[in-house]
Amino acid sequence: MTVYLVGAGPGDPDLLTLRAAKLLATAPVVVHDRLVSPEILQLINPRARCIDVGKTPGLSHSQSWINELLVELAGHYDSVVRLKGGDPFVFGRGGEEYEALSRENVNVEVVPGISSAFAAPLLAGVPVTHRGLSHGVTVVPGPAMSGAGVDFRALANADVTLVVLMGVQRRAEIASQLREGGLASSTPVAIIERASTPNQRTLRCRLDELGGIDVSAPAVLVIGAGAALALNGALDSIVSLGV
Ligand SMILES: C[S@@+](CC[C@H](N)C(=O)[O-])C[C@H]1O[C@@H](n2cnc3c(N)ncnc32)[C@H](O)[C@@H]1O
């Protein structure tokens, strides 16, 4: 019995690893999240048992319930695929699932996926590092970016690109805290919705405009000088708001 914690990437099935595609085609049971795209779900063996444990606000299974389900399934099947959006260990609670399974002596293998933290900027033509513009990148979760306990002065580093996941709801607060931390109001921002899907859309604005931008999740916020670049030959629809 092995549970495979598999990254599904940002949505486009062409961005799956070969290992992930092989496991989807052969595993007898697949437990998946809400953000896994329908095109990827179609790659699951049609005879496999498919369990959606997607977390929708107000209608979700607890993480401990999911952990217990995985342990139980591991007792019944030789291989279980736990399919998660992006990379399983990037804000996906894959680490907790790994630990819960290991505690029960279940063999676990991790299959990396392309995280939206990197795929979304890249597909919008935004380099997260770029000589002369940004010498590093910091990836942070929006929900944790409330005032308390967050060092916004450290995050407000104009030389480093900031990538925010799950940041749509708190975008106004994040922008104003970063400005208070010292980041210029004119700092370029790119917001990439539904990256790698046919509905990918990139919006661009300044940091002081971010709160007023109409955005829908899932989206990645990219804040920093590189966000003004579009090194993708305009592959998606770009809404430019004055950068
Ligand atoms: C719970 S986190 C999971 C991240 C995932 N493990 C990863 O590596 O991409 C969900 C957040 O990832 C981002 N996200 C995931 N897929 C996305 C996509 N196709 N386009 C834009 N953002 C995406 C959004 O910020 C979303 O709120």
Side-chain angles (χ1 to χ4, degrees):
M1 56 176 182
T2 298
V3 175
Y4 297 89
L5 296 180
V6 179
D12 181 346
D14 281 356
L15 298 178
L16 271 179
T17 62
L18 289 174
R19 179 139 181 78
K22 281 181 200 160
L23 285 165
L24 291 181
T26 54
V29 57
V30 177
V31 179
H32 70 86
D33 278 345
R34 184 175 56 96
L35 275 184
V36 177
S37 70
E39 293 80 7
I40 287 177
L41 295 180
Q42 275 174 13
L43 300 178
I44 295 172
N45 178 345
R47 290 183 302 279
R49 183 175 165 198
C50 198
I51 305 173
D52 179 357
V53 293
K55 292 185 184 169
T56 313
L59 187 77
S60 63
H61 296 296
S62 70
Q63 188 60 50
S64 58
W65 185 90
I66 295 171
N67 295 350
E68 281 167 27
L69 173 71
L70 293 174
V71 171
E72 192 190 319
L73 291 170
H76 288 89
Y77 295 90
D78 275 351
S79 62
V80 177
V81 166
R82 170 67 173 117
L83 187 62
K84 303 174 84 72
D87 183 272
F89 281 2
V90 177
F91 303 133
R93 305 191 72 173
E96 289 164 62
E97 293 174 10
Y98 186 103
E99 288 173 340
L101 289 157
S102 298
R103 270 195 301 274
E104 299 297 327
N105 298 314
V106 175
N107 189 42
V108 192
E109 271 187 39
V110 184
V111 180
I114 302 179
S115 176
S116 62
F118 295 100
L122 185 143
L123 291 168
V126 172
V128 289
T129 67
H130 194 74
R131 189 176 286 265
L133 283 186
S134 161
H135 60 62
V137 54
T138 304
V139 181
V140 291
M145 288 184 75
S146 63
V150 179
D151 184 352
F152 279 96
R153 274 190 302 182
L155 289 176
N157 178 350
D159 296 329
V160 168
T161 304
L162 193 60
V163 174
V164 186
L165 267 58
M166 301 170 281
V168 166
Q169 264 191 325
R170 305 189 86 127
R171 61 193 182 282
E173 189 185 343
I174 291 166
S176 84
Q177 298 274 13
L178 287 171
R179 288 168 63 205
E180 276 176 36
L183 211 51
S185 301
S186 59
T187 303
V189 178
I191 306 148
I192 306 106
E193 295 175 341
R194 298 177 290 278
S196 89
T197 74
N199 299 319
Q200 174 173 322
R201 187 171 75 132
T202 302
L203 302 112
R204 292 175 192 266
C205 64
R206 295 162 37 119
L207 186 59
D208 59 2
E209 297 167 327
L210 178 57
I213 303 287
D214 194 12
V215 194
S216 62
V220 168
L221 316 179
V222 188
I223 301 167
L229 301 185
L231 310 181
N232 63 346
L235 284 177
D236 63 349
S237 65
I238 294 177
V239 181
S240 184
L241 294 147
V243 173

